[in-house]
Amino acid sequence: MNAAAGPPVVAAKLRAPALPVGVVTRTRLLARLAASRCRVVLVAGPAGFGKSVLVTDWLQRERPPSAWLSLDELDNDPRRLLNHLAGAFDALGSPAGDVLRAQRDPLALAREPALLEALATCDPSAAVVLDDVHLLEEEPSLEVLRSLVELRGVTPRFVLLTRVNPPFSFGRLRAAGELLELREQDLRFTLDEAEALFAALLPDGLDADLVRRLDARTEGWAAGLRMAAIALERASDRGA
């Protein structure tokens, strides 16, 4: 495989994040991910709603063949994006990596028959996770992503983690039943999940009424609940 063409691959971008201390098993969301056979999974919500944690936990529990790519602003260079996508497919043992590295025109990706043939060799249960999709803003890199998402045929699942919707339509996938969507309302912590979080982070847990008030005050925002737990651990009067 010729890894020398184009910008170098940053290995750290191809590693899934570690799970934080006190991770809560989000059974209702894990069940939806486990049961779905949709070709595209869109997990969309503001920062701190636990998108990456949820998907990392799912991968560790279900253990499908998987590859992870954390995107950044530099991936608005489509050549760099293609090289890192190639590295992700290398992790799956797929010849799609070679096809992507050899691609001279990123905008012609959707018309590349060798790509679909290469993707068809992947285990259909395999998952390719693209984190921080919202950082792609330039049209050439967005076209690469659009081409992968809109490919027709047997491909691995593409799991897109983003703070905002990518600027293209998911209508065809939605109508065909090929899109699973987990959005902000789904990602909000329920009262039971908030109780489990405080039980994991505080040595003696937290009074049920305080959990209820904090869950309501933060509107189930995972990062807000974690910050509250840090503050309460040192508080002499938790009620105050």
Tab-separated table of all heavy atoms in Angstrom, residues 91-132:
chain	number	residue	atom	x	y	z
A	91	ALA	N	-7.645	-0.384	8.517
A	91	ALA	CA	-7.901	-1.029	9.810
A	91	ALA	C	-8.946	-2.126	9.694
A	91	ALA	O	-8.973	-3.054	10.509
A	91	ALA	CB	-8.340	0.015	10.837
A	92	LEU	N	-9.821	-2.024	8.693
A	92	LEU	CA	-10.830	-3.053	8.455
A	92	LEU	C	-10.325	-4.146	7.524
A	92	LEU	O	-11.045	-5.105	7.235
A	92	LEU	CB	-12.093	-2.432	7.834
A	92	LEU	CG	-12.939	-1.527	8.726
A	92	LEU	CD1	-14.109	-0.958	7.932
A	92	LEU	CD2	-13.450	-2.289	9.950
A	93	GLY	N	-9.088	-3.991	7.021
A	93	GLY	CA	-8.564	-4.950	6.061
A	93	GLY	C	-9.242	-4.856	4.712
A	93	GLY	O	-9.294	-5.823	3.958
A	94	SER	N	-9.762	-3.672	4.380
A	94	SER	CA	-10.510	-3.492	3.139
A	94	SER	C	-9.624	-2.881	2.057
A	94	SER	O	-8.869	-1.937	2.324
A	94	SER	CB	-11.711	-2.567	3.376
A	94	SER	OG	-12.284	-2.151	2.146
A	95	PRO	N	-9.743	-3.359	0.816
A	95	PRO	CA	-8.997	-2.739	-0.289
A	95	PRO	C	-9.501	-1.344	-0.633
A	95	PRO	O	-8.900	-0.671	-1.481
A	95	PRO	CB	-9.216	-3.710	-1.456
A	95	PRO	CG	-10.484	-4.428	-1.141
A	95	PRO	CD	-10.513	-4.538	0.361
A	96	ALA	N	-10.586	-0.903	0.026
A	96	ALA	CA	-11.069	0.461	-0.215
A	96	ALA	C	-10.001	1.493	0.118
A	96	ALA	O	-9.968	2.579	-0.468
A	96	ALA	CB	-12.334	0.728	0.598
A	97	GLY	N	-9.104	1.165	1.051
A	97	GLY	CA	-8.027	2.100	1.383
A	97	GLY	C	-7.163	2.406	0.180
A	97	GLY	O	-6.822	3.562	-0.087
A	98	ASP	N	-6.818	1.377	-0.585
A	98	ASP	CA	-6.002	1.586	-1.787
A	98	ASP	C	-6.738	2.413	-2.818
A	98	ASP	O	-6.149	3.260	-3.502
A	98	ASP	CB	-5.611	0.234	-2.382
A	98	ASP	CG	-4.599	-0.508	-1.530
A	98	ASP	OD1	-3.821	0.162	-0.834
A	98	ASP	OD2	-4.601	-1.748	-1.556
A	99	VAL	N	-8.042	2.160	-2.970
A	99	VAL	CA	-8.840	2.916	-3.948
A	99	VAL	C	-8.866	4.390	-3.573
A	99	VAL	O	-8.706	5.272	-4.437
A	99	VAL	CB	-10.273	2.347	-4.034
A	99	VAL	CG1	-11.129	3.184	-4.988
A	99	VAL	CG2	-10.251	0.891	-4.482
A	100	LEU	N	-9.053	4.684	-2.301
A	100	LEU	CA	-9.124	6.077	-1.854
A	100	LEU	C	-7.778	6.782	-2.017
A	100	LEU	O	-7.724	7.948	-2.422
A	100	LEU	CB	-9.584	6.138	-0.400
A	100	LEU	CG	-11.041	5.709	-0.149
A	100	LEU	CD1	-11.311	5.577	1.336
A	100	LEU	CD2	-12.007	6.702	-0.779
A	101	ARG	N	-6.699	6.090	-1.714
A	101	ARG	CA	-5.379	6.709	-1.859
A	101	ARG	C	-5.070	7.020	-3.323
A	101	ARG	O	-4.381	7.986	-3.629
A	101	ARG	CB	-4.305	5.782	-1.281
A	101	ARG	CG	-3.899	6.113	0.149
A	101	ARG	CD	-2.722	5.255	0.589
A	101	ARG	NE	-3.129	3.860	0.646
A	101	ARG	CZ	-3.632	3.280	1.744
A	101	ARG	NH1	-3.778	3.968	2.853
A	101	ARG	NH2	-3.987	2.007	1.716
A	102	ALA	N	-5.571	6.177	-4.208
A	102	ALA	CA	-5.279	6.362	-5.633
A	102	ALA	C	-6.195	7.373	-6.298
A	102	ALA	O	-5.969	7.754	-7.452
A	102	ALA	CB	-5.401	5.016	-6.359
A	103	GLN	N	-7.214	7.844	-5.585
A	103	GLN	CA	-8.198	8.737	-6.180
A	103	GLN	C	-7.564	10.091	-6.512
A	103	GLN	O	-7.076	10.799	-5.631
A	103	GLN	CB	-9.383	8.938	-5.217
A	103	GLN	CG	-10.537	9.723	-5.784
A	103	GLN	CD	-11.264	8.929	-6.864
A	103	GLN	OE1	-11.285	7.718	-6.844
A	103	GLN	NE2	-11.856	9.632	-7.812
A	104	ARG	N	-7.555	10.463	-7.772
A	104	ARG	CA	-6.941	11.723	-8.196
A	104	ARG	C	-7.905	12.896	-8.049
A	104	ARG	O	-7.500	14.017	-7.781
A	104	ARG	CB	-6.522	11.609	-9.670
A	104	ARG	CG	-5.514	10.501	-9.940
A	104	ARG	CD	-4.164	10.823	-9.381
A	104	ARG	NE	-3.184	9.789	-9.700
A	104	ARG	CZ	-1.955	9.781	-9.198
A	104	ARG	NH1	-1.570	10.733	-8.373
A	104	ARG	NH2	-1.120	8.820	-9.518
A	105	ASP	N	-9.186	12.629	-8.243
A	105	ASP	CA	-10.189	13.694	-8.217
A	105	ASP	C	-11.225	13.359	-7.139
A	105	ASP	O	-12.105	12.533	-7.370
A	105	ASP	CB	-10.858	13.826	-9.579
A	105	ASP	CG	-11.941	14.909	-9.590
A	105	ASP	OD1	-12.065	15.630	-8.580
A	105	ASP	OD2	-12.661	15.002	-10.595
A	106	PRO	N	-11.144	13.971	-5.950
A	106	PRO	CA	-12.089	13.664	-4.885
A	106	PRO	C	-13.545	13.864	-5.290
A	106	PRO	O	-14.434	13.167	-4.806
A	106	PRO	CB	-11.695	14.637	-3.766
A	106	PRO	CG	-10.262	14.953	-4.030
A	106	PRO	CD	-10.126	14.948	-5.520
A	107	LEU	N	-13.790	14.781	-6.198
A	107	LEU	CA	-15.172	15.061	-6.596
A	107	LEU	C	-15.744	13.955	-7.489
A	107	LEU	O	-16.949	13.908	-7.717
A	107	LEU	CB	-15.249	16.409	-7.305
A	107	LEU	CG	-14.839	17.624	-6.461
A	107	LEU	CD1	-15.038	18.904	-7.262
A	107	LEU	CD2	-15.635	17.696	-5.171
A	108	ALA	N	-14.878	13.077	-7.988
A	108	ALA	CA	-15.344	11.985	-8.848
A	108	ALA	C	-15.525	10.680	-8.072
A	108	ALA	O	-15.761	9.630	-8.665
A	108	ALA	CB	-14.359	11.769	-9.988
A	109	LEU	N	-15.428	10.769	-6.743
A	109	LEU	CA	-15.469	9.562	-5.920
A	109	LEU	C	-16.742	8.763	-6.143
A	109	LEU	O	-16.716	7.530	-6.196
A	109	LEU	CB	-15.345	9.960	-4.450
A	109	LEU	CG	-15.032	8.849	-3.452
A	109	LEU	CD1	-13.683	8.214	-3.767
A	109	LEU	CD2	-15.031	9.407	-2.033
A	110	ALA	N	-17.867	9.452	-6.278
A	110	ALA	CA	-19.144	8.753	-6.433
A	110	ALA	C	-19.214	7.959	-7.731
A	110	ALA	O	-20.026	7.042	-7.850
A	110	ALA	CB	-20.295	9.760	-6.375
A	111	ARG	N	-18.359	8.303	-8.691
A	111	ARG	CA	-18.389	7.614	-9.987
A	111	ARG	C	-17.298	6.550	-10.087
A	111	ARG	O	-17.026	6.047	-11.170
A	111	ARG	CB	-18.224	8.633	-11.127
A	111	ARG	CG	-19.281	9.729	-11.127
A	111	ARG	CD	-19.231	10.550	-12.410
A	111	ARG	NE	-17.951	11.200	-12.604
A	111	ARG	CZ	-17.629	12.391	-12.086
A	111	ARG	NH1	-18.507	13.045	-11.338
A	111	ARG	NH2	-16.447	12.935	-12.325
A	112	GLU	N	-16.687	6.204	-8.955
A	112	GLU	CA	-15.571	5.266	-8.956
A	112	GLU	C	-16.082	3.846	-8.689
A	112	GLU	O	-16.365	3.480	-7.546
A	112	GLU	CB	-14.552	5.673	-7.882
A	112	GLU	CG	-13.350	4.770	-7.755
A	112	GLU	CD	-12.646	4.568	-9.071
A	112	GLU	OE1	-12.007	5.535	-9.547
A	112	GLU	OE2	-12.751	3.455	-9.618
A	113	PRO	N	-16.266	3.024	-9.732
A	113	PRO	CA	-16.831	1.681	-9.517
A	113	PRO	C	-15.961	0.800	-8.638
A	113	PRO	O	-16.467	-0.066	-7.920
A	113	PRO	CB	-16.963	1.121	-10.936
A	113	PRO	CG	-16.020	1.918	-11.761
A	113	PRO	CD	-15.970	3.277	-11.147
A	114	ALA	N	-14.644	1.008	-8.684
A	114	ALA	CA	-13.745	0.174	-7.879
A	114	ALA	C	-13.998	0.370	-6.386
A	114	ALA	O	-13.759	-0.541	-5.582
A	114	ALA	CB	-12.293	0.493	-8.212
A	115	LEU	N	-14.495	1.562	-5.996
A	115	LEU	CA	-14.744	1.820	-4.578
A	115	LEU	C	-15.875	0.940	-4.061
A	115	LEU	O	-15.761	0.319	-2.995
A	115	LEU	CB	-15.060	3.297	-4.352
A	115	LEU	CG	-15.389	3.675	-2.900
A	115	LEU	CD1	-14.203	3.363	-1.988
A	115	LEU	CD2	-15.760	5.149	-2.797
A	116	LEU	N	-16.982	0.894	-4.796
A	116	LEU	CA	-18.108	0.080	-4.346
A	116	LEU	C	-17.721	-1.398	-4.308
A	116	LEU	O	-18.108	-2.129	-3.389
A	116	LEU	CB	-19.314	0.299	-5.257
A	116	LEU	CG	-20.654	-0.216	-4.712
A	116	LEU	CD1	-20.962	0.364	-3.345
A	116	LEU	CD2	-21.772	0.106	-5.699
A	117	GLU	N	-16.944	-1.834	-5.289
A	117	GLU	CA	-16.483	-3.220	-5.286
A	117	GLU	C	-15.621	-3.503	-4.056
A	117	GLU	O	-15.737	-4.555	-3.420
A	117	GLU	CB	-15.684	-3.512	-6.555
A	117	GLU	CG	-16.517	-3.500	-7.831
A	117	GLU	CD	-15.662	-3.688	-9.079
A	117	GLU	OE1	-14.463	-4.035	-8.910
A	117	GLU	OE2	-16.178	-3.479	-10.184
A	118	ALA	N	-14.752	-2.551	-3.705
A	118	ALA	CA	-13.883	-2.736	-2.543
A	118	ALA	C	-14.690	-2.729	-1.253
A	118	ALA	O	-14.449	-3.533	-0.340
A	118	ALA	CB	-12.816	-1.641	-2.510
A	119	LEU	N	-15.671	-1.821	-1.148
A	119	LEU	CA	-16.483	-1.740	0.064
A	119	LEU	C	-17.332	-2.995	0.244
A	119	LEU	O	-17.633	-3.400	1.373
A	119	LEU	CB	-17.383	-0.504	0.014
A	119	LEU	CG	-16.666	0.846	0.123
A	119	LEU	CD1	-17.665	1.992	-0.032
A	119	LEU	CD2	-15.928	0.967	1.450
A	120	ALA	N	-17.709	-3.612	-0.863
A	120	ALA	CA	-18.540	-4.818	-0.786
A	120	ALA	C	-17.793	-5.981	-0.152
A	120	ALA	O	-18.414	-6.962	0.263
A	120	ALA	CB	-19.039	-5.195	-2.173
A	121	THR	N	-16.467	-5.891	-0.052
A	121	THR	CA	-15.696	-6.955	0.591
A	121	THR	C	-15.710	-6.837	2.108
A	121	THR	O	-15.275	-7.760	2.801
A	121	THR	CB	-14.240	-6.948	0.102
A	121	THR	OG1	-13.582	-5.758	0.572
A	121	THR	CG2	-14.165	-7.003	-1.420
A	122	CYS	N	-16.177	-5.701	2.633
A	122	CYS	CA	-16.234	-5.498	4.083
A	122	CYS	C	-17.342	-6.358	4.690
A	122	CYS	O	-18.368	-6.608	4.056
A	122	CYS	CB	-16.498	-4.032	4.423
A	122	CYS	SG	-15.167	-2.892	4.005
A	123	ASP	N	-17.141	-6.760	5.919
A	123	ASP	CA	-18.218	-7.380	6.687
A	123	ASP	C	-19.363	-6.372	6.758
A	123	ASP	O	-19.162	-5.222	7.142
A	123	ASP	CB	-17.695	-7.693	8.093
A	123	ASP	CG	-18.696	-8.456	8.945
A	123	ASP	OD1	-19.901	-8.176	8.845
A	123	ASP	OD2	-18.259	-9.317	9.727
A	124	PRO	N	-20.599	-6.748	6.380
A	124	PRO	CA	-21.704	-5.784	6.405
A	124	PRO	C	-22.029	-5.256	7.796
A	124	PRO	O	-22.694	-4.233	7.927
A	124	PRO	CB	-22.881	-6.573	5.809
A	124	PRO	CG	-22.495	-8.000	5.920
A	124	PRO	CD	-21.008	-8.054	5.831
A	125	SER	N	-21.552	-5.940	8.846
A	125	SER	CA	-21.776	-5.430	10.202
A	125	SER	C	-20.693	-4.441	10.628
A	125	SER	O	-20.772	-3.861	11.718
A	125	SER	CB	-21.824	-6.586	11.204
A	125	SER	OG	-20.531	-7.181	11.357
A	126	ALA	N	-19.669	-4.253	9.775
A	126	ALA	CA	-18.575	-3.348	10.124
A	126	ALA	C	-19.076	-1.908	10.238
A	126	ALA	O	-20.019	-1.501	9.552
A	126	ALA	CB	-17.466	-3.434	9.071
A	127	ALA	N	-18.430	-1.146	11.106
A	127	ALA	CA	-18.815	0.253	11.326
A	127	ALA	C	-17.604	1.157	11.122
A	127	ALA	O	-16.532	0.900	11.683
A	127	ALA	CB	-19.367	0.437	12.734
A	128	VAL	N	-17.786	2.187	10.322
A	128	VAL	CA	-16.772	3.226	10.143
A	128	VAL	C	-17.306	4.485	10.812
A	128	VAL	O	-18.293	5.066	10.357
A	128	VAL	CB	-16.486	3.484	8.651
A	128	VAL	CG1	-15.461	4.609	8.493
A	128	VAL	CG2	-15.993	2.214	7.976
A	129	VAL	N	-16.679	4.885	11.913
A	129	VAL	CA	-17.146	6.024	12.703
A	129	VAL	C	-16.369	7.266	12.297
A	129	VAL	O	-15.135	7.272	12.312
A	129	VAL	CB	-16.968	5.765	14.214
A	129	VAL	CG1	-17.506	6.945	15.022
A	129	VAL	CG2	-17.662	4.470	14.627
A	130	LEU	N	-17.095	8.319	11.940
A	130	LEU	CA	-16.494	9.613	11.616
A	130	LEU	C	-16.948	10.604	12.678
A	130	LEU	O	-18.126	10.975	12.736
A	130	LEU	CB	-16.922	10.067	10.220
A	130	LEU	CG	-16.609	9.088	9.080
A	130	LEU	CD1	-17.103	9.647	7.748
A	130	LEU	CD2	-15.125	8.774	9.014
A	131	ASP	N	-16.018	11.010	13.533
A	131	ASP	CA	-16.338	11.897	14.664
A	131	ASP	C	-16.059	13.345	14.286
A	131	ASP	O	-15.149	13.639	13.502
A	131	ASP	CB	-15.491	11.490	15.868
A	131	ASP	CG	-16.040	12.039	17.181
A	131	ASP	OD1	-17.115	12.662	17.172
A	131	ASP	OD2	-15.388	11.829	18.224
A	132	ASP	N	-16.848	14.266	14.858
A	132	ASP	CA	-16.695	15.714	14.620
A	132	ASP	C	-16.897	16.076	13.150
A	132	ASP	O	-16.163	16.888	12.570
A	132	ASP	CB	-15.333	16.223	15.106
A	132	ASP	CG	-15.240	16.271	16.626
A	132	ASP	OD1	-16.300	16.417	17.279
A	132	ASP	OD2	-14.128	16.165	17.161
